[in-house]
Amino acid sequence: MKYLLSPLPLVLLSFLLVKSIQAQFLCQPVGWATEYGTVNGGGNVTPEIVTSYNDLRTKATNSTSKVIHIQGTITFPANGRINISSVIGKTIFGLPGSKLVSTDQTASGSGIFYVKDSRNVIFRNITFEGPGAYDVDGNDHMTLDNCQGIWVDHCDFQDGVDGNFDIKNASDFITATYCKFGYVKPPRAGGPGGADDHRFTSLFGSSDNATGDRGKLRVTMQYCWWAQGCRERMPRVRFGKIHMVNNLFNSTVANHCIRAGFEADILVESNVFENVARPIDLFNNDFTAVTARNNIFTNTSGNTVGSRTSFTPPYLLTIMPAAQIKSWVSTHAGATLTSTSCGTTTNQNPTVSITAPSNAARICIGSTLTINATAMDNDGTISKVDFYNGSSLIGTDNSEPFSIGFTPSSLSNLSLTAVATDNGGATGSSAAVTVTVNPLPTATISTTTPTTFCQGGSVVLTASAGTSYIWRNGNTILATTTQTHTANAAGTYTVEVTNANGCKATSAATTVNVNPLPTATISTTTPTTFCQGGSVVLTASAGTSYIWRNGNTTLSTTAQTHTANAAGTYTVEVT
């Protein structure tokens, strides 16, 4: 191992250390992978970009595609795990913001990559998202089966079904750097495997009986992070020579972190263990050796020491002091790369476009306009999108899908733009989208006759001019769709008027009152048949005025009573 120590001054030492780490951060594997020989994956051939599951499966499994760049989110179908077999010399790189998603929790269909009998393969900057842990004896996000010369770098393993990353069956010369392991989704209980909480991250060596792993399973893990949700196997080791160096363990639900299984030979140095149980689990004491040195343990419980002397790595490795690990790893582990190349790069401006509304769209004043935008950054991630009308900021959206609502309050036409800002502070602006703001129509109701009348009457309601109309009595839509409506029922009438621009306005309510008719009856207290010279008093039901008639002849009597002394058919009109 190589240690950068005195007589250099501490400031210069830190500077050189960081520069050295930055070189390996961007460019090449370290540790056991370097003992295989050249691990350069697909080399410098022109990358092929994949955006769909079928394209990814085709290119990942054939021998002609050497460098693959994953773009966007690719969701795997049911039973969609990709089996990569007998591949030699390939790089699979996740472009910033990309993601591989599996929702399958079955034993046969779970997992994302199963890599077998392959050599010189690099996986970098890939986000693996699973459906959550479920003990069905399923598959990890990625399994290496009899593979040699593999570098897994800056990958983010989330919520694998059986686990996140397994290495088995005589796989050898493996390095994992800057990888993050975590579980965000709650574990699913009741699996046939028997564990209700199977958030078990990594298994190196599948069985105590897999004796073909002796002398194999040589793995270096540096600058990796076992984050919240990880419960066990960080990793669990059988047979292998495992170098755990400069890693961060801080899952508060940890039951144990590094577990030394059958014939395991583990060197644990300069790591940080924080708020975990059993940082170093010696398990059944059937391991070969576990050496622990220069680690930091904060608020931990359980064993923190090794037993016996582990292997000495044959490679040179720059080791960061443990005191710097938490800050460094929590910042850089995971799919955090913003460039596909090595060395210092210039941050590229993101691109952004407004997808809605369309250019030359129209909106009515007072209506809410939804503005949607898409943004992309080839060497980073989008941190926000600002929306403008001219030079005035409307609002900001910090996550996809980028969208905002805007309600114009004046008849001035809109000039909408979107400005995307990436994680490096670079910006890109969209083309302007013009939107016309149209006025609302005037909506009123007028009448030429009173709106209060007796039962049987009516009033004609006339709306202000428009192109179409919807009349209502209260909340009830009436059949009338013309500019006028004849109202013969009491109620509160409104009309919705639409103008030639499609804008709508609703009038104030006009109240129509319909008075009931009075009751009109005639009563007497003496017979209505009598001898000539006699009479009878006819009495009308109560009202305010009366018109008496004998047949069609109107009588002069206007009182509530009429003394009839002539034969005839008498009626009274009561008001």
Side-chain angles (χ1 to χ4, degrees):
M1 291 165 290
K2 180 173 71 175
Y3 294 89
L4 298 177
L5 299 175
S6 57
L8 291 175
L10 181 59
V11 173
L12 179 57
L13 168 63
S14 298
F15 174 77
L16 292 176
L17 180 62
V18 170
K19 295 299 287 185
S20 174
I21 290 169
Q22 286 176 339
Q24 78 176 55
F25 175 77
L26 291 173
C27 297
Q28 60 190 3
V30 295
W32 275 117
T34 62
E35 296 298 300
Y36 173 78
T38 300
V39 179
N40 62 351
N44 295 320
V45 302
T46 301
E48 301 176 62
I49 295 178
V50 297
T51 59
S52 69
Y53 168 79
N54 288 333
D55 201 15
L56 173 61
R57 181 181 61 182
T58 297
K59 288 181 169 57
T61 56
N62 67 36
S63 59
T64 56
S65 296
K66 292 297 186 182
V67 178
I68 301 166
H69 285 180
I70 301 166
Q71 186 174 72
T73 296
I74 297 178
T75 300
F76 281 40
N79 201 35
R81 184 183 65 253
I82 295 176
N83 295 317
I84 302 172
S85 180
S86 302
V87 165
I88 299 175
K90 186 184 290 288
T91 298
I92 302 179
F93 187 98
L95 293 175
S98 64
K99 184 188 300 184
L100 303 181
V101 179
S102 171
T103 59
D104 196 323
Q105 282 189 317
T106 65
S108 60
S110 55
I112 290 180
F113 286 149
Y114 193 97
V115 190
K116 185 173 183 179
D117 301 331
S118 296
R119 315 285 181 270
N120 185 21
V121 181
I122 295 175
F123 299 90
R124 300 192 75 197
N125 211 51
I126 303 171
T127 296
F128 298 86
E129 180 182 316
Y134 183 42
D135 194 4
V136 290
D137 196 21
N139 290 276
D140 293 61
H141 278 320
M142 185 160 70
T143 299
L144 302 182
D145 184 342
N146 189 32
C147 294
Q148 289 80 41
I150 309 295
W151 183 28
V152 183
D153 178 61
H154 279 92
C155 289
D156 194 338
F157 295 87
Q158 306 170 11
D159 294 298
V161 173
D162 191 66
N164 283 320
F165 178 37
D166 277 8
I167 303 173
K168 64 180 186 176
N169 292 346
S171 291
D172 208 4
F173 301 120
I174 313 295
T175 292
T177 49
Y178 291 101
C179 289
K180 182 179 179 181
F181 305 94
Y183 294 87
V184 177
K185 301 170 185 176
R188 180 180 172 189
D196 285 343
D197 187 350
H198 203 273
R199 293 177 291 177
F200 299 167
T201 301
S202 295
L203 191 63
F204 294 174
S206 57
S207 167
D208 291 0
N209 297 321
T211 55
D213 288 340
R214 283 194 179 114
K216 310 290 186 181
L217 297 181
R218 286 171 283 194
V219 180
T220 299
M221 302 194 81
Q222 188 175 26
Y223 306 122
C224 294
W225 182 12
W226 284 266
Q228 190 60 30
C230 295
R231 184 166 175 79
E232 297 183 4
R233 300 181 186 177
M234 307 179 216
R236 174 178 176 170
V237 180
R238 296 181 178 95
F239 296 107
K241 288 181 170 62
I242 311 300
H243 193 184
M244 303 294 296
V245 53
N246 286 156
N247 301 298
L248 173 62
F249 303 80
N250 63 357
S251 172
T252 59
V253 299
N255 185 42
H256 65 254
C257 296
I258 301 170
R259 169 168 280 184
F262 185 65
E263 295 188 12
D265 191 352
I266 309 175
L267 175 57
V268 183
E269 62 176 331
S270 298
N271 302 282
V272 173
F273 299 86
E274 186 175 84
N275 301 316
V276 298
R278 285 188 286 178
I280 302 172
D281 183 9
L282 301 182
F283 198 34
N284 292 329
N285 289 308
D286 54 2
F287 53 87
T288 297
V290 176
T291 294
R293 63 189 178 211
N294 303 324
N295 300 291
I296 293 176
F297 301 93
T298 303
N299 194 31
T300 63
S301 61
N303 185 61
T304 60
V305 299
S307 177
R308 301 188 285 275
T309 303
S310 63
F311 70 99
T312 298
Y315 47 79
L316 296 176
L317 185 66
T318 300
I319 298 176
M320 181 183 285
Q324 300 178 29
I325 287 302
K326 181 178 179 180
S327 174
W328 181 262
V329 171
S330 61
T331 300
H332 297 295
T336 60
L337 294 181
T338 59
S339 173
T340 60
S341 60
C342 294
T344 302
T345 59
T346 300
N347 187 19
Q348 300 179 33
N349 293 328
T351 58
V352 60
S353 61
I354 293 178
T355 57
S358 59
N359 194 43
R362 295 174 178 271
I363 188 175
C364 301
I365 189 170
S367 298
T368 298
L369 178 69
T370 299
I371 310 170
N372 298 327
T374 58
M376 181 179 297
D377 190 33
N378 288 330
D379 63 346
T381 56
I382 302 298
S383 60
K384 68 174 181 174
V385 172
D386 295 314
F387 294 88
Y388 289 86
N389 175 26
S391 59
S392 299
L393 178 66
I394 297 172
T396 300
D397 195 349
N398 296 314
S399 61
E400 290 187 272
F402 299 107
S403 181
I404 200 165
F406 176 57
T407 304
S409 57
S410 69
L411 292 176
S412 301
N413 291 338
L414 309 178
S415 179
L416 304 176
T417 55
V419 177
T421 302
D422 70 10
N423 59 312
T427 61
S429 298
S430 71
V433 170
T434 300
V435 176
T436 299
V437 181
N438 289 316
L440 302 181
T442 300
T444 60
I445 297 175
S446 61
T447 65
T448 57
T449 57
T451 57
T452 297
F453 47 84
C454 295
Q455 186 176 348
S458 63
V459 61
V460 175
L461 308 177
T462 302
S464 49
T467 57
S468 64
Y469 310 86
I470 298 176
W471 289 91
R472 292 180 175 86
N473 184 356
N475 293 322
T476 302
I477 297 177
L478 307 175
T480 306
T481 57
T482 57
Q483 189 174 0
T484 61
H485 174 71
T486 301
N488 53 21
T492 52
Y493 287 78
T494 59
V495 64
E496 181 185 273
V497 180
T498 302
N499 63 16
N501 294 316
C503 298
K504 304 175 187 295
T506 300
S507 71
T510 294
T511 301
V512 173
N513 299 303
V514 179
N515 292 324
L517 299 179
T519 300
T521 61
I522 298 174
S523 62
T524 65
T525 58
T526 57
T528 58
T529 300
F530 48 84
C531 296
Q532 186 174 357
S535 64
V536 62
V537 176
L538 307 177
T539 301
S541 50
T544 57
S545 65
Y546 310 87
I547 298 175
W548 290 92
R549 290 183 179 88
N550 184 352
N552 292 323
T553 302
T554 300
L555 307 174
S556 60
T557 305
T558 57
Q560 189 175 1
T561 61
H562 175 72
T563 301
N565 55 17
T569 53
Y570 286 79
T571 60
V572 63
E573 178 183 286
V574 180
T575 300

